[in-house]
Amino acid sequence: DNKQKYLEKKEKDRLLRKIQKEIERCESDINKAEAAIADLENKLSNPDSLKEDENFDNISKEHADQSQMLESLMTEWERLQKQLEATE
């Protein structure tokens, strides 16, 4: 009985660590996406500063892609937070 409780606690702790690690990865990816979006928004708001190889339409598409990725990451983060709460 004590051994079973110990094993269950150990498994729960392992799962919690795994979820927390995924949350940290997700938060890091969110920060990177937010930084990329801010950079792209800066470029879009100041089209005269675009380099020769940068195209407004390409920057705009990349902004849309990054925004979509950020939304997906935020959804994943929320799911992981709920999973963490349910596990604790």
Side-chain angles (χ1 to χ4, degrees), residues 6-76:
Y6 169 77
L7 292 174
E8 288 171 4
K9 181 179 178 344
K10 190 173 179 180
E11 178 62 21
K12 181 179 174 181
D13 289 346
R14 185 192 66 76
L15 183 58
L16 286 172
R17 281 191 307 276
K18 179 182 177 198
I19 296 168
Q20 288 167 335
K21 186 174 181 180
E22 289 180 37
I23 289 172
E24 289 172 9
R25 177 202 47 81
C26 197
E27 288 173 344
S28 175
D29 290 348
I30 287 169
N31 288 334
K32 289 175 188 172
E34 287 175 336
I37 288 169
D39 182 54
L40 293 166
E41 286 174 350
N42 186 40
K43 289 179 180 180
L44 290 171
S45 68
N46 197 358
D48 294 337
S49 70
L50 293 178
K51 297 175 186 163
E52 288 181 25
D53 62 339
E54 293 178 322
N55 175 301
F56 188 85
D57 291 337
N58 290 343
I59 301 289
S60 183
K61 181 183 179 329
E62 187 178 346
H63 180 273
D65 292 346
Q66 286 288 332
S67 296
Q68 186 176 11
M69 185 171 70
L70 178 60
E71 186 176 326
S72 176
L73 287 166
M74 294 296 285
T75 300
E76 175 69 3

